[in-house]
Amino acid sequence: MIIGVMVARSKSLRRRVAVVLWLLGVFAATQSWADRWYIHYDRAETALEAEDWRLAVEELNQAIERRADSGARVRSYGMNLVDYFPYFKLGIAYVELDEVEAALQAFDTEERLGAVTGSSDAARSMAGYRERAEQLQVAAAMSVEARREEVVREELAAARERADEGDYESAMAALDRVLAVSPDHPEAQVLMDSVRQQAAAAAAVDRTQTEVAELAEAARVDMENGSPRLAAVKLRRALRLSGNTAGTGDSFDGSEIRTALDGAEQAVREEIAAEDRAESITRALEAARVYVARGELDAAQTELEVVAALDPNNADAATLRRSIATARDEARTQAVLEGGLAEATAFLTAGNPEAALREANLLLATEPGNAALLDVIQRAYRELNRELLGASARENLPPAIRFADRRTTTAEGTAAEVVTVEVVTAERFRLTGVVIDQSEVTLVAEDDRGQPVELDQQSQVIGDDVLTEFSLAHRLDEGSTSLRVIATDAEGVSSSSVYQVEYRPPWYVRPIWRWGAVGFVALIGLGVVALRSRSRYRRLRRRFNPYVAGGPVFDRELFFGREPIVQRVLEAVHNNSLLLHGERRIGKTSLLHQIKHRLATLDDPEYRFYPVYVDLQGVLEERFFAVLAEALFDELAPVLGSEFAEPSTPLDESYRHHHLQADLRRLIRALRESGDRHVKVVLLIDEVDELNHYDPRTNQRLRSLFMKSFAEHLTAVVAGVRIRREWDREGSPWYNFFEEIEVEGIGTDEARRLVTQPIRGVFRVRPEAAERIVTLAEHKPYRIQKLCLALVNRLHDQGRTTVTVEDVEAVWS
């Protein structure tokens, strides 16, 4: 019976444990389910339908935190596809909440991400909401302007009245409200300067009066405790402070302090025997000098009180006392400034801009150029402006992440295993992208094991946004790897996105084949050495010299140090035109030719690029559009066939802008019909400085091709020398049109490679010689190639194969 009870209890216990484990499993699954981005996105869409706008904002921010890259027809789970446009949906919620600035900001972010163009319905709907937001913005601006005029009128009158009554604090508060809504109001600025000075003077008198009273009381206590020297130090400071208030209308009567100081000095004299007084003065002066040098001002003044009591007219003591007084004044002013600034900042943080302004204005009277004070005042004015005018603030949207995406949808097994992944056959993988936010962001990356991945980032300001480009390199293990990029803005708001890549190594890199390859390599090693020796001998006989000095570099083997710029162009040219600017012979033409080659061979899943190189050097304005058309037909006719071999109008001086527009429309239509990807014709325009010599109308007509006629299918990468300075004016037709990239000298490592790599196996360059070449050439590729060309010729002439520093100096001189 006992055994039966034990068995029953054991079964009961197992059932309870099973139930608990099941509940924990359900809870864990629920937590994991709730943590997925598409659950929050689905909840947000439900909240939008229910017109619960705040809940929609909250859920969309949760979705963005987990996935910050938008996408059309994104796979959420199983075979389910959704259009994931979280910033567009945020904009809808903010429009309904009348937070217009935040709505427009969200629409701009979604537009920059570019994915919304993949859904015509979403793009059309966003355009409608944007128009509504802009209408609300105009109406709000009219209401704000009326309120601004009312605040200026009422508060300025109150400020004048309070200032006449001597109530400077209230006058400053009223003027703060005027300047918060109208910062450039001239009368308010002049009146504020005057009131601020008077208020600061009154506050200084109050502080001095309090400090004098405290010093006098402390001196009385010192005398009672038998410390006349300490008492004399405090009384002398009090006497000096009370004298500084003379002429303020509220000066102190220093007679009582003078009497007390005389008593303290008498007590000091009584402490010192008459025969020791000369020696005491000398010791006190020496000690005071030491203390002053150390910055111990209290100890120095205590010693000087001995001198003051025994020899009141001592010149050395007077000099030291003046230097101490100056140091104390500076320290006192700094303490007042730091304390007031801390208090003003605390008020601002606590949401009390008026109190912050009261403290900061008093300090600004004595520190008119203090940057920290001016920053507090500007921030407080912004807060006060919102309180008075009800202006809609820009919300801090989570950072948006956009990858240079090469992922495709794959299905293995069941529908639940369908994933979007990039499949690669190389072990080393590079991921690039851009983060869009209103401030600079901090980026970190990690793999699916939580291990950090090294990441490079570079930011630039475009309009109201900051674009941060990033790239990371990672060595992949065989199989699937998830790379997560996490972006955190200046206020600590974060978002992240995951990029999945699968490494499928080729059969020949697997271990079994790798060992076989070792044996094979060993067998043919001697043959390779022999072939190399023979090749080297032949190259020396025909005076092999691979360097190019003068023309552009077409050979990729001689193109070094520009990969970051090439990558940046390849990532941005989908939606932006770019300007490459730099000094002459810095390598811009070579860069354009390399970009042309890379674009022509780029395997992009969405775009097919058709790069067209155009050299404007020496092109007359009358021939400009004909030259563009000639380059287009030369490049595109082989792709499209013989019917497009000639333009519709002869390419002479009668060929005009409208002829090019018609031919370009015909070419792009044919390109679109010939493929299934989005067509992007890229004009690579060299020597673009020539445009500055043309009539402004010619520039306007060229710009219209990019902005209106063919905005979707035409972009440009242009190169020039002084063009950035010419176009950086609002009157230029190209103002703010291009994303700018400066072309400078190449990095040290790449410069060394340019010196050594092209001649490897034939000639050798000593390390110190390579360093000297790079230094003399100032990291500029053209100069490096020119110098190396001469060095190789020198080695041929002298029958040697090693470049030394002596060779470099000889050629350079």
Side-chain angles (χ1 to χ4, degrees), residues 263-293:
E265 290 178 342
Q266 179 61 35
V268 172
R269 283 192 293 270
E270 291 173 356
E271 288 180 348
I272 303 170
E275 59 273 13
D276 295 335
R277 290 185 178 181
E279 186 178 349
S280 296
I281 291 172
T282 302
R283 281 200 307 269
L285 284 172
E286 291 176 355
R289 291 190 186 95
V290 172
Y291 285 132
V292 168

Side-chain angles (χ1 to χ4, degrees), residues 615-625 627 687-699 702:
D615 187 356
L616 293 186
Q617 186 170 21
V619 174
L620 299 176
E621 183 175 5
E622 295 78 11
R623 287 270 304 151
F624 173 63
F625 290 109
V627 168
E687 301 294 344
V688 76
D689 299 81
E690 293 289 341
L691 291 179
N692 284 333
H693 306 305
Y694 294 175
D695 189 294
R697 288 174 295 182
T698 300
N699 282 272
L702 177 60

Side-chain angles (χ1 to χ4, degrees), residues 472-640:
L472 61 88
H474 188 59
R475 186 187 295 273
L476 301 174
D477 295 328
E478 185 174 352
S480 180
T481 299
S482 296
L483 297 172
R484 178 181 294 274
V485 175
I486 304 166
T488 305
D489 68 13
E491 297 182 13
V493 178
S494 296
S495 63
S496 67
S497 281
V498 175
Y499 193 93
Q500 193 162 350
V501 59
E502 184 175 349
Y503 171 42
R504 297 178 183 174
W507 60 268
Y508 50 81
V509 301
R510 297 184 181 275
I512 188 172
W513 297 103
R514 196 175 297 167
W515 285 110
V518 170
F520 180 74
V521 170
L523 290 175
I524 66 172
L526 291 175
V528 170
V529 171
L531 288 174
R532 285 183 177 177
S533 299
R534 185 178 182 185
S535 173
R536 183 168 180 263
Y537 175 73
R538 287 178 175 176
R539 290 184 178 188
L540 289 172
R541 285 192 61 186
R542 61 181 176 84
R543 294 182 67 87
F544 162 76
N545 197 334
Y547 295 103
V548 177
V553 175
F554 296 98
D555 188 351
R556 288 195 64 184
E557 297 298 321
L558 293 174
F559 189 70
F560 291 87
R562 301 302 190 195
E563 187 61 23
I565 295 181
V566 173
Q567 283 296 327
R568 186 171 170 186
V569 171
L570 296 181
E571 292 163 10
V573 76
H574 299 71
N575 300 305
N576 298 288
S577 291
L578 299 101
L579 166 64
L580 308 177
H581 63 91
E583 64 182 76
R584 292 199 178 278
R585 293 204 170 277
I586 197 65
K588 300 185 295 299
T589 300
S590 299
L591 190 54
L592 286 178
H593 283 291
Q594 294 297 326
I595 291 170
K596 179 178 184 293
H597 173 75
R598 295 284 286 276
L599 284 172
T601 58
L602 186 64
D603 184 16
D604 190 280
E606 298 182 21
Y607 287 84
R608 175 68 186 272
F609 292 98
Y610 296 92
V612 177
Y613 176 80
V614 184
D615 187 356
L616 293 186
Q617 186 170 21
V619 174
L620 299 176
E621 183 175 5
E622 295 78 11
R623 287 270 304 151
F624 173 63
F625 290 109
V627 168
L628 289 182
E630 184 178 10
L632 284 164
F633 277 94
D634 286 348
E635 192 70 43
L636 300 180
V639 178
L640 296 174

Side-chain angles (χ1 to χ4, degrees), residues 43-61 86 88-99 129 132 395:
R43 290 173 182 168
E45 292 197 309
T46 302
L48 289 172
E49 292 176 2
E51 300 185 359
D52 190 345
W53 314 119
R54 283 296 174 197
L55 178 60
V57 169
E58 180 181 341
E59 291 294 340
L60 286 165
N61 280 322
F88 165 41
K89 298 299 176 71
L90 261 181
I92 294 175
Y94 282 133
V95 167
E96 299 297 344
L97 290 167
D98 287 332
E99 297 181 18
Y129 274 104
R132 178 179 165 189
E395 289 289 329

Side-chain angles (χ1 to χ4, degrees), residues 271-404:
E271 288 180 348
I272 303 170
E275 59 273 13
D276 295 335
R277 290 185 178 181
E279 186 178 349
S280 296
I281 291 172
T282 302
R283 281 200 307 269
L285 284 172
E286 291 176 355
R289 291 190 186 95
V290 172
Y291 285 132
V292 168
R294 294 178 184 171
E296 301 176 16
L297 303 184
D298 286 339
Q301 276 199 296
T302 302
E303 295 294 337
L304 289 176
E305 289 306 326
V306 173
V307 183
L310 301 178
D311 184 9
N313 298 319
N314 187 285
D316 291 339
T319 301
L320 284 171
R321 195 176 289 111
R322 282 193 297 271
S323 67
I324 291 172
T326 300
R328 282 196 180 281
D329 287 344
E330 292 175 355
R332 182 169 177 263
T333 300
Q334 187 63 27
V336 170
L337 174 63
E338 292 176 356
L341 182 58
E343 195 167 354
T345 304
F347 279 131
L348 189 58
T349 303
N352 191 346
E354 292 190 342
L357 285 167
R358 181 180 64 246
E359 295 296 329
N361 276 321
L362 291 174
L363 298 172
L364 200 64
T366 54
E367 294 281 337
N370 188 281
L373 285 174
L374 293 172
D375 178 64
V376 169
I377 288 175
Q378 290 302 318
R379 288 160 53 200
Y381 277 161
R382 286 196 294 270
E383 293 296 325
L384 196 55
N385 181 289
R386 281 195 285 269
E387 290 182 11
L388 294 170
L389 302 182
S392 175
R394 288 172 65 91
E395 289 289 329
N396 184 15
L397 303 184
I401 300 173
R402 184 181 73 193
F403 294 116

